[in-house]
Amino acid sequence: MSETMDALRPEENKMGTMPVNKLLLTMSLPMVISMLIQALYNVVDSIFVAQIGETALTAVSLAFPIQNLIIAIAVGTGVGVNALLSRSLGEKNQKGANLAAVNGIFVFILSYIVSALLGILFSRFYFTVQTDNAEIISQGTAYLSICTIFSFGVYLEIALERIMQSTGRTIYNMITQGLGAVINIILDPILIFGLFGLPRLGIAGAAIATVIGQIIAMMLLLYFNLTRNPDVDLNMRGFRPHKETITNIYKVGLPSIIMQSIGSVMTFGVNKILLLFSETAVSVFGIFFKLQSFIFMPVFGLNNGMVPIVAYNWGAKNRDRIMKTIRSSIIGSVSIMFLGLIIFQAFPVQLLQLFDASEHMISIGVPALRIISLGFLFAGYCIIIGSVFQALGNGVYSLIVSVARQLLCILPIAYIFAKVFGLHAIWYAFPLAETMSLVLSTILFQRIYIKCIKKL
């Protein structure tokens, strides 16, 4: 098996030789497509849930911070694995690359065990601290319990995606993410409404459809990694945790975990503020997150294609390729966000009507979508710069920007505006926070350029 892998391994990884723009497109396009499919699933899932009733949509919206927390832990850990694995390959350190991969899988499994236990013990409590609506508590507990107990699918799916991505084989991620999302979309109406003679499961059916799609995607990714990825050996036989490797994974990954987890804290806090006015406002906020995924997911796909290129060429000490990759990524990201801004400004009513929005929901949702989307252009730039920090081994800078944006800006401004001006003013906290993030990200990038890039 080892000899076969050696024969398949190219003399030089394409991340160090292929023209940058072509490489970025090659790396990113499969991720963009797969994430667009994932975004489609997010929207379709909520459209079906909305047909159960507004309380179901509110329950799913309130559950979102915990689902986002699971994703944050998985993606943040993946950032650490990705950066360490790509850098090891750039340095031609095969042993280091293999250690990064197998120890990465190990810490992902530990993360799942913790998430499952917390889901079993605290799902109902999580909803009772937010609302006294018995229907929302019941629906939300059922939904969140299933998503956490069976979250091994999403944890290992992301782990295996990041390993494949680190070696430049993102086409397989497109296949698996796309298949998982399509399975979710197909199963949603079947399990929610009890089609083809199956029992009507309601909101629990939406959760079951989600975890089935994740598990199938995980299994396919495992197959692809074992048979189509000669750059990394995932043989766990005789495995022992490697302290230094795990430390290096979390040195980069932990700030990313905290940074992305802050998004869950922010969403939870904003939901609490919105509940001062109505449960419908919470549903609107949840709808916004589903809709914005159509804009942000392609940017994250571009972003995921960029990270291993920057990390690899940092390991290979190639400054020109690093800077060209960053510039091209920013141009692509801001262009996508500009298109999103136009859509949200021009068609807010039509977007809300996808979710059977009442007149009351539309009256709250139209200004919300138009105001929050004003920050899209700045967000596109900041997403790329934040991931550059992580790819260069300085995730603390990303953490600083995220804390400042979401905890020091969005939450305090949203609360003050809610108290002083009312519900519609809350949404202005988001573009104001993006403006601050733009300034701070630029200042920190100048510092890391001088420290890490300029002297290469």
Side-chain angles (χ1 to χ4, degrees):
M1 179 69 175
S2 178
E3 291 179 1
T4 302
M5 289 296 190
D6 288 339
L8 290 171
R9 185 175 294 116
E11 292 183 5
E12 177 65 43
N13 194 293
K14 66 181 180 181
M15 287 188 284
T17 58
M18 186 182 289
V20 168
N21 286 337
K22 181 181 178 182
L23 175 62
L24 185 62
L25 183 64
T26 301
M27 292 281 289
S28 300
L29 188 58
M31 298 296 293
V32 169
I33 294 171
S34 64
M35 288 197 166
L36 276 172
I37 296 171
Q38 187 68 32
L40 177 63
Y41 155 70
N42 289 336
V43 171
V44 171
D45 182 62
S46 290
I47 289 173
F48 286 127
V49 169
Q51 292 178 26
I52 301 173
E54 192 171 303
T55 56
L57 186 58
T58 301
V60 171
S61 298
L62 291 175
F64 177 76
I66 300 301
Q67 289 180 286
N68 194 51
L69 180 61
I70 290 173
I71 298 294
I73 294 169
V75 170
T77 305
V79 167
V81 174
N82 199 335
L84 180 59
L85 206 163
S86 294
R87 190 166 75 228
S88 296
L89 290 174
E91 294 168 347
K92 306 297 187 293
N93 180 1
Q94 188 63 49
K95 181 181 178 182
N98 293 338
L99 282 172
V102 295
N103 282 274
I105 291 175
F106 171 71
V107 296
F108 270 100
I109 292 172
L110 292 182
S111 299
Y112 155 67
I113 293 171
V114 173
S115 297
L117 289 174
L118 292 176
I120 293 169
L121 297 174
F122 298 109
S123 288
R124 184 174 182 83
F125 174 77
Y126 170 77
F127 285 94
T128 59
V129 299
Q130 296 183 85
T131 180
D132 56 4
N133 186 314
E135 189 175 2
I136 292 176
I137 293 172
S138 175
Q139 291 177 321
T141 301
Y143 182 84
L144 188 58
S145 297
I146 293 169
C147 289
T148 52
I149 292 169
F150 295 95
S151 61
F152 66 88
V154 68
Y155 272 112
L156 293 179
E157 178 188 357
I158 291 174
L160 295 165
E161 278 179 0
R162 291 306 183 267
I163 293 170
M164 192 68 79
Q165 175 188 327
S166 298
T167 60
R169 295 172 174 84
T170 53
I171 185 66
Y172 297 108
N173 293 349
M174 179 187 74
I175 295 170
T176 53
Q177 277 198 359
L179 178 63
V182 169
I183 289 171
N184 285 338
I185 292 170
I186 293 171
L187 290 180
D188 260 334
I190 295 174
L191 297 179
I192 290 173
F193 303 115
L195 304 181
F196 307 114
L198 294 175
R200 182 186 179 97
L201 299 177
I203 197 170
I208 293 171
T210 296
V211 298
I212 288 175
Q214 292 167 348
I215 291 169
I216 290 175
M218 173 206 75
M219 293 172 64
L220 189 58
L221 267 168
L222 179 61
Y223 170 78
F224 282 144
N225 266 285
L226 293 176
T227 62
R228 298 289 189 273
N229 194 356
D231 287 327
V232 178
D233 184 2
L234 295 183
N235 187 355
M236 303 284 288
R237 184 177 300 172
F239 169 77
R240 294 289 184 277
H242 191 259
K243 182 178 178 181
E244 183 180 355
T245 299
I246 293 174
T247 300
N248 287 333
I249 287 172
Y250 280 116
K251 182 179 178 182
V252 175
L254 186 59
S256 180
I257 292 172
I258 297 172
M259 178 186 70
Q260 298 195 54
S261 299
I262 288 168
S264 295
V265 176
M266 181 275 292
T267 306
F268 179 85
V270 171
N271 281 338
K272 292 284 284 183
I273 295 170
L274 293 173
L275 283 169
L276 298 173
F277 297 92
S278 73
E279 292 167 357
T280 301
V282 174
S283 295
V284 166
F285 193 43
I287 288 171
F288 165 75
F289 271 107
K290 301 295 185 180
L291 291 172
Q292 75 153 14
S293 66
F294 263 114
I295 313 303
F296 279 78
M297 285 295 194
V299 174
F300 290 141
L302 175 64
N303 187 53
N304 288 341
M306 177 206 70
V307 168
I309 301 174
V310 172
Y312 183 97
N313 285 284
W314 185 40
K317 303 186 184 305
N318 193 325
R319 180 178 63 186
D320 290 343
R321 288 179 66 82
I322 292 173
M323 290 307 300
K324 189 166 185 180
T325 301
I326 294 171
R327 283 193 295 268
S328 297
S329 299
I330 290 173
I331 291 171
S333 175
V334 172
S335 299
I336 293 169
M337 287 301 210
F338 180 69
L339 177 61
L341 174 63
I342 293 173
I343 293 171
F344 272 66
Q345 294 296 320
F347 306 108
V349 174
Q350 291 84 346
L351 292 173
L352 290 165
Q353 286 175 338
L354 292 172
F355 302 87
D356 291 339
S358 63
E359 288 299 321
H360 179 51
M361 183 179 286
I362 289 175
S363 68
I364 295 174
V366 168
L369 266 57
R370 283 180 169 159
I371 293 168
I372 298 176
S373 63
L374 293 174
F376 278 5
L377 296 183
F378 294 165
Y381 168 85
C382 294
I383 289 170
I384 297 298
I385 296 300
S387 291
V388 170
F389 297 154
Q390 294 164 358
L392 296 178
N394 199 329
V396 174
Y397 281 4
S398 296
L399 177 59
I400 291 171
V401 175
S402 186
V403 169
R405 175 184 172 272
Q406 300 189 82
L407 298 188
L408 302 183
C409 282
I410 290 179
L411 282 181
I413 293 173
Y415 182 76
I416 293 169
F417 281 14
K419 290 294 186 181
V420 177
F421 302 110
L423 173 60
H424 288 195
I426 292 173
W427 316 118
Y428 284 101
F430 291 88
L432 288 174
E434 295 297 354
T435 304
M436 181 283 305
S437 181
L438 172 74
V439 174
L440 186 56
S441 294
T442 302
I443 293 171
L444 292 177
F445 178 72
Q446 289 176 336
R447 293 187 63 180
I448 205 168
Y449 175 80
I450 293 171
K451 179 181 177 182
C452 295
I453 302 176
K454 187 176 181 180
K455 61 184 181 182
L456 290 179

